[in-house]
């Protein structure tokens, strides 16, 4: 069984070496001590959410503090192709469920999208609170999945903002029931063009693929047209119409396999 994971701030593990001691404090330490009831000698991982993972054993337990002896410290690289879920806002927490499940399955970032047919609206104070809640949900899911990277929940976008994100991406795929080409075909064709040096931008860094999911009422024809004009392509995920909470995670699984991430 894999070790339980607890998060610390990015950069706090940089000076750790085998044999050194790291002190975990705050809410994560309290969770380790009072909920997980970790005891001296038990194995544990501490991750900084930005790829660094310390593997060690509990050396001491005190109120609000967990001291861990470092056995190993590794830096887990980001995948060469990053998957970004563009999730339309939806009612009944289905949008949060999509972000949570996609995180467990390996998504690298999430973009909340205020689609034309989104019933839920993020305005003023609610926007900041909702964004913070999404980031909390994603962080908890990353912890559950024992990930060293915490996916970033980027700023929410409207139609114009999403068009800009599409234009900047290496590939943007609209998951749409009226699409002709299946998602597998779209991704394989893009990989072939990338191998031939035709898939720009991206440079030498990680490439990004956007997976765009609409709200309960679907993506409007006008939105599809505008996004395609910005460079997006449509793709069919399967034979059945999936809920907004299901489509993103399903696409994440399929894309991770086709793109060689799994």
């Amino acid at each position: 069984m894999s070790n339980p994971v607890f998060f610390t701030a990015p950069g706090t593990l940089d000076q750790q070496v085998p044999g050194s001691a790291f002190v975990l404090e705050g809410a994560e330490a309290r969770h380790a001590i009072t909920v997980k009831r970790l005891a001296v000698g038990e194995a544990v991982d501490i991750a900084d959410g930005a790829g660094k993972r310390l593997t060690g054993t509990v050396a001491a337990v005190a109120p609000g503090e967990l001291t861990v002896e470092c056995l190993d410290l590794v830096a887990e690289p980001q995948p060469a192709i990053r998957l970004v879920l563009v999730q339309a806002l939806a009612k009944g927490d289905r949008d949060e469920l999509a972000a949570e499940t996609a995180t467990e399955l390996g998504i690298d970032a999430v973009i909340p999208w205020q689609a034309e047919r989104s019933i839920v609206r993020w305005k003023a104070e609610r926007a900041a609170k909702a964004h913070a809640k999404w980031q909390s949900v994603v962080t908890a899911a990353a912890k559950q999945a024992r990930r060293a990277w915490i996916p970033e929940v980027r700023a929410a976008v409207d139609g114009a903002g999403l068009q800009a994100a599409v234009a900047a991406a290496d590939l943007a795929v609209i998951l749409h029931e009226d699409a002709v080409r299946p998602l597998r075909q779209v991704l394989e064709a893009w990989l072939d063009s990338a191998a031939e040096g035709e898939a720009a931008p991206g440079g030498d860094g990680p490439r990004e693929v956007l997976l765009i999911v609409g709200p309960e009422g679907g993506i409007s024809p006008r939105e599809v047209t505008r996004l395609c004009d910005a460079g997006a392509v449509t793709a069919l995920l399967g034979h059945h119409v999936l809920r907004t909470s299901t489509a993103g995670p399903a696409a994440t699984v399929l894309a991770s396999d086709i793109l060689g991430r799994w």
Side-chain angles (χ1 to χ4, degrees):
M1 183 176 179
S2 58
N3 295 340
V5 171
F6 298 92
F7 287 123
T8 185
T12 54
L13 296 178
D14 291 352
Q15 304 305 315
Q16 294 296 307
V17 295
S20 64
F22 178 80
V23 179
L24 181 69
E25 300 176 310
E28 286 291 87
R30 290 191 292 273
H31 184 244
I33 297 166
T34 63
V35 178
K36 291 295 186 179
R37 298 187 179 277
L38 293 185
V40 172
E42 291 193 76
V44 65
D45 285 1
I46 308 295
D48 70 353
K52 294 275 180 63
R53 183 192 298 270
L54 179 154
T55 298
T57 56
V58 177
V61 176
E65 288 187 355
L66 186 78
T67 302
V68 179
E69 179 185 357
C70 176
L71 299 179
D72 191 23
L73 181 69
V74 297
E76 300 181 8
Q78 296 188 59
I81 301 174
R82 289 167 49 85
L83 294 177
V84 179
L85 172 62
V86 178
Q87 176 62 50
L89 303 185
K91 64 180 181 179
D93 295 335
R94 287 178 178 165
D95 45 13
E96 292 177 16
L97 178 59
E100 177 183 47
T101 309
T103 296
E104 294 176 10
L105 295 168
I107 206 74
D108 298 298
V110 179
I111 301 176
W113 172 34
Q114 186 75 69
E116 288 183 5
R117 294 176 176 172
S118 290
I119 297 174
V120 174
R121 297 284 166 178
W122 285 11
K123 295 181 179 179
E125 294 181 1
R126 179 176 182 179
K129 291 180 180 178
H131 184 277
K133 185 178 180 183
W134 276 41
Q135 187 63 70
S136 177
V137 166
V138 163
T139 299
K143 185 175 180 179
Q144 170 66 34
R146 312 293 202 266
R147 294 183 60 171
W149 287 91
I150 299 175
E152 172 194 10
V153 178
R154 298 178 183 172
V157 296
D158 56 11
L162 182 52
Q163 290 172 47
V166 165
D170 296 282
L171 175 66
V173 183
I174 305 168
L175 304 176
H176 200 280
E177 61 183 297
D178 292 334
V180 176
R181 292 194 298 167
L183 180 58
R184 175 177 295 278
Q185 187 180 107
V186 169
L187 292 175
E188 288 178 344
W190 178 73
L191 280 178
D192 289 342
S193 65
E196 295 172 1
E198 299 175 2
D204 297 327
R207 298 180 183 272
E208 283 200 347
V209 174
L210 305 188
L211 302 172
I212 303 172
V213 178
E216 304 95 316
I219 303 174
S220 73
R222 179 170 60 179
E223 286 174 317
V224 173
T225 298
R226 289 177 175 175
L227 292 174
C228 288
D229 287 344
V233 296
T234 59
L236 187 64
L237 185 55
H239 296 294
H240 307 291
V241 177
L242 301 179
R243 283 185 169 178
T244 186
S245 58
T246 309
T252 300
V253 170
L254 183 59
S256 293
D257 181 32
I258 295 169
L259 298 177
R261 290 163 49 98
W262 284 12

